[in-house]
Amino acid sequence: KDYLTGNAPPEWIPLRPPSFYEELKIDLRLSTNVSKIDPKQRAVTTASGETFAYDALLLATGAAPIRIPGFDHPKVQVLRTLRDSTALIEAAGKAKRAVMIGAGFIGLEAAASLCKRDIDVSVVTPDALPLEKALGPEVARFVLETHKANGVHFHLGKGAKSFDGRKVLLDDGATLEADLVVLGVGVRPNVDLAKAAGLTVSNGVEVDAHLRTSDPTIFAAGDIANFPDALSGERARVEHWVVAEQQGQIAAINMLGGAERYDATPFFWSAHFEHTLNYVGYAPHWNRVEIDGSIAAHDFTARYFKDDRLLAACS
């Protein structure tokens, strides 16, 4: 978000310098596409035909942004990678009006960042309130009012049909002028390699508590990992980098012969202008919200229950 806003220089972005990999004798292959995994031979083949043997393999292929029909245009951007972010910054430099399709966490955070670049931003979503399914109506209304107070325009209960390079056509026939459109309608896990290798795939690559897939020599972590959540008792797939980082550490230990369980409670935070929401737990399905404190005073905790079981909290 800081990079997109313009407050973080490019040199802050890499997690490690090239020397880190050299010093640890890590053979880092950038710009290299893997075309096949052969579990029987325990080998990985790249698109150029190079083969790597393995004793243990980690799949961390992440997810890809969903693209929707009617929005195949050079002025349409997605936000997933550093390259996406750089392209969006370049496009924003030439734009006065931007339309964000989708009002999830990525969409709203991108909307806030573009607003700070003095761009007129409109958000289009079929939802009655942004983030209502995740956070409930009270917190969702707080998020909505925060964005509106900072100049974001909302078109709630609306779908987007197409973009012709000048205007976004909504499903009620209305149009919004736009120099830039950002799609923030979710992601799909990149599971093609796992499927082709015969691994069990269901809303991601299924793993056990040790992050081991249906093949005992292959592990998965991050956005593609469908894991047993210790708190809710359900299977979960969490799209946040903190979870990916934690799972990577557990997978590494177990690939080296350990027996660590991934039983951390997922958490994330989301910045919306001057306010940051902190969320802990996993509650894709809840039927009761209890709120302590005052949302109006920006000092509250919302707790999400399924029947009598506490699944998550947001403050």
Side-chain angles (χ1 to χ4, degrees):
K1 292 178 286 291
D2 287 338
Y3 181 65
L4 191 58
T5 305
N7 296 330
E11 56 267 26
W12 286 8
I13 303 303
L15 297 176
R16 302 286 188 180
S19 59
F20 170 82
Y21 303 98
E22 294 166 7
E23 289 167 6
L24 291 181
K25 296 183 172 63
I26 296 170
D27 184 2
L28 180 64
R29 304 295 182 100
L30 302 175
S31 303
T32 302
N33 291 319
V34 172
S35 58
K36 181 184 177 184
I37 299 168
D38 187 338
K40 290 183 180 177
Q41 297 296 322
R42 292 191 185 178
V44 169
T45 303
T46 69
S48 63
E50 196 171 5
T51 299
F52 297 88
Y54 66 82
D55 296 310
L57 174 68
L58 175 65
L59 294 180
T61 48
I66 295 171
R67 295 180 179 269
I68 54 178
F71 288 85
D72 185 16
H73 192 280
K75 290 184 179 179
V76 176
Q77 304 281 342
V78 294
L79 182 57
R80 181 68 184 174
T81 65
L82 177 60
R83 185 179 296 172
D84 292 338
S85 193
T86 300
L88 183 52
I89 289 169
E90 185 179 340
K94 308 168 189 171
K96 293 182 179 179
R97 296 176 299 271
V99 173
M100 171 66 61
I101 311 298
F105 290 105
I106 291 290
L108 292 177
E109 290 179 356
S113 295
L114 291 175
C115 254
K116 290 178 181 177
R117 288 181 174 270
D118 295 324
I119 294 174
D120 187 73
V121 179
S122 295
V123 175
V124 178
T125 176
D127 299 328
L129 289 169
L131 301 176
E132 183 177 9
K133 291 176 185 174
L135 302 179
E138 295 92 345
V139 180
R141 213 166 280 117
F142 163 70
V143 172
L144 174 68
E145 294 305 323
T146 295
H147 280 260
K148 287 172 70 174
N150 283 276
V152 180
H153 312 291
F154 283 84
H155 300 268
L156 303 171
K158 311 282 185 180
K161 294 187 73 173
S162 62
F163 175 61
D164 63 5
R166 295 183 303 112
K167 293 181 179 180
V168 174
L169 174 64
L170 304 185
D171 57 6
D172 63 354
T175 59
L176 301 173
E177 291 190 11
D179 310 306
L180 166 66
V181 173
V182 184
L183 293 180
V185 294
V187 297
R188 290 192 182 98
N190 294 319
V191 296
D192 288 350
L193 274 173
K195 276 185 179 177
L199 303 180
T200 301
V201 173
S202 173
N203 183 30
V205 181
E206 287 196 9
V207 297
D208 63 14
H210 300 96
L211 303 179
R212 203 182 299 265
T213 70
S214 53
D215 182 311
T217 66
I218 302 178
F219 296 74
D223 284 12
I224 64 165
N226 181 330
F227 62 93
D229 175 46
L231 181 65
S232 68
E234 298 182 34
R235 294 199 71 85
R237 190 176 64 78
V238 178
E239 297 164 358
H240 195 274
W241 67 268
V242 171
V243 172
E245 186 179 53
Q246 293 172 333
Q247 289 182 344
Q249 294 165 355
I250 297 296
I253 291 168
N254 294 338
M255 289 168 73
L256 296 172
E260 292 281 331
R261 297 175 66 87
Y262 177 72
D263 55 10
T265 300
F267 71 92
F268 67 89
W269 60 94
S270 182
H272 301 268
F273 294 98
E274 68 273 26
H275 301 300
T276 298
L277 296 174
N278 301 291
Y279 186 101
V280 60
Y282 180 71
H285 310 292
W286 48 266
N287 53 23
R288 181 163 59 92
V289 184
E290 289 184 1
I291 296 176
D292 295 331
S294 168
I295 291 180
H298 311 150
D299 183 11
F300 69 91
T301 298
R303 293 181 173 84
Y304 302 89
F305 294 82
K306 188 167 185 183
D307 301 324
D308 293 327
R309 188 170 189 185
L310 175 63
L311 297 180
C314 177
S315 60

